[in-house]
Amino acid sequence: DVKVTQSSRYLVKRTGEKVFLECVQDMDHENMFWYRQDPGLGLRLIYFSYDVKMKEKGDIPEGYSVSREKKERFSLILESASTNQTSMYLCASSANGGFGYTFGSGTRLTVV
Amino acid sequence: QQQVKQSPQSLIVQKGGISIINCAYENTAFDYFPWYQQFPGKGPALLIAIRPDVSEKKEGRFTISFNKSAKQFSLHIMDSQPGDSATYFCAASLSGSARQLTFGSGTQLTVLP
């Protein structure tokens, strides 16, 4: 079964820490995405990548950066975590020209 | 900013009833409109999708109705079952190889037994 795997299900970090969220897909998809999900706001796009080492800002990139050194892996980095970054983070992937996303199960991050 | 507006925020339906969730969009360049279903503890999964060249698409108990002139689309769940209880997101995207999806705010559906 094809998968998008997020390394942590739950994560608790302190304000000011540097946080890494990892995502791996086994479908050889070109495109990978990071969304955050908040009640009443739906899913909002943080960053996406359409190729290795390539990245594009989404709607809410402030306070985040990303890294894609290998095709199957896409990392989201919180340079200095803040309490307003407490959220559910969802990674997804898609093939070029494909219409559907495959999502991971999410990482619930709490910043205290 | 591209937006997709979704309503209602929550919906309670009796078993066997019809669940209807509505979405409206602003950007007429959107050309793909999927619905995603999310169960607790899981990521969203593609449920059904439609292109703007058709007015309706049906898959089993799930139907998308699309009104291009009104810039609206809706999900109808016929004969709703307790197993349909989940959060539903509408979305829209522009053409392009990466197809970024813009999501609605979500509807939490509860189907009572």
Side-chain angles (χ1 to χ4, degrees):
Chain A
D1 195 17
V2 293
K3 279 186 178 177
V4 174
T5 303
Q6 295 184 230
S7 55
S8 302
R9 188 73 185 93
Y10 298 95
L11 213 50
V12 179
K13 296 292 182 180
R14 295 195 179 277
T15 301
E17 276 192 80
K18 190 170 186 175
V19 181
F20 293 85
L21 303 183
E22 306 287 346
C23 176
V24 177
Q25 52 99 1
D26 65 0
M27 295 166 283
D28 201 36
H29 282 169
E30 292 81 10
N31 307 306
M32 296 188 74
F33 307 84
W34 276 106
Y35 283 85
R36 64 177 281 177
Q37 180 177 3
D38 300 288
L41 297 177
L43 282 69
R44 293 179 291 167
L45 181 63
I46 304 171
Y47 268 97
F48 72 98
S49 169
Y50 54 89
D51 201 351
V52 175
K53 297 189 184 295
M54 305 305 291
K55 61 186 179 184
E56 292 283 347
K57 292 180 180 179
D59 297 321
I60 52 166
E62 297 78 17
Y64 303 95
S65 62
V66 290
S67 173
R68 194 171 180 197
E69 296 296 319
K70 294 184 177 181
K71 189 175 185 180
E72 68 271 18
R73 187 178 297 270
F74 192 35
S75 301
L76 179 68
I77 304 158
L78 286 66
E79 296 291 342
S80 177
S82 64
T83 55
N84 63 12
Q85 293 178 310
T86 291
S87 186
M88 171 68 84
Y89 291 88
L90 290 162
C91 176
S93 71
S94 73
N96 267 351
F99 290 92
Y101 283 16
T102 300
F103 280 91
S105 294
T107 295
R108 184 164 294 281
L109 172 67
T110 302
V111 182
V112 297
Chain B
Q1 185 179 5
Q2 301 169 357
Q3 282 190 334
V4 177
K5 295 182 179 179
Q6 183 172 348
S7 63
Q9 187 171 357
S10 64
L11 181 62
I12 299 175
V13 174
Q14 293 286 341
K15 178 182 176 180
I18 302 173
S19 303
I20 302 174
I21 304 170
N22 300 298
C23 284
Y25 62 96
E26 298 175 353
N27 190 340
T28 55
F30 284 141
D31 71 345
Y32 173 65
F33 301 88
W35 286 88
Y36 281 77
Q37 180 188 54
Q38 184 182 31
F39 293 106
K42 302 289 187 182
L46 180 64
L47 181 64
I48 187 172
I50 197 167
R51 303 294 299 273
D53 51 348
V54 297
S55 60
E56 185 175 284
K57 183 173 182 180
K58 183 176 181 179
E59 291 184 2
R61 296 184 294 108
F62 300 90
T63 300
I64 300 178
S65 297
F66 187 83
N67 186 330
K68 190 174 182 178
S69 61
K71 294 188 287 185
Q72 296 175 347
F73 60 110
S74 60
L75 176 70
H76 296 236
I77 306 174
M78 311 300 289
D79 187 26
S80 298
Q81 299 296 313
D84 298 329
S85 297
T87 301
Y88 292 82
F89 294 96
C90 62
S93 77
L94 301 169
S95 63
S97 58
R99 282 205 169 268
Q100 305 162 58
L101 284 173
T102 299
F103 285 86
S105 55
T107 296
Q108 186 165 350
L109 172 66
T110 302
V111 181
L112 300 176

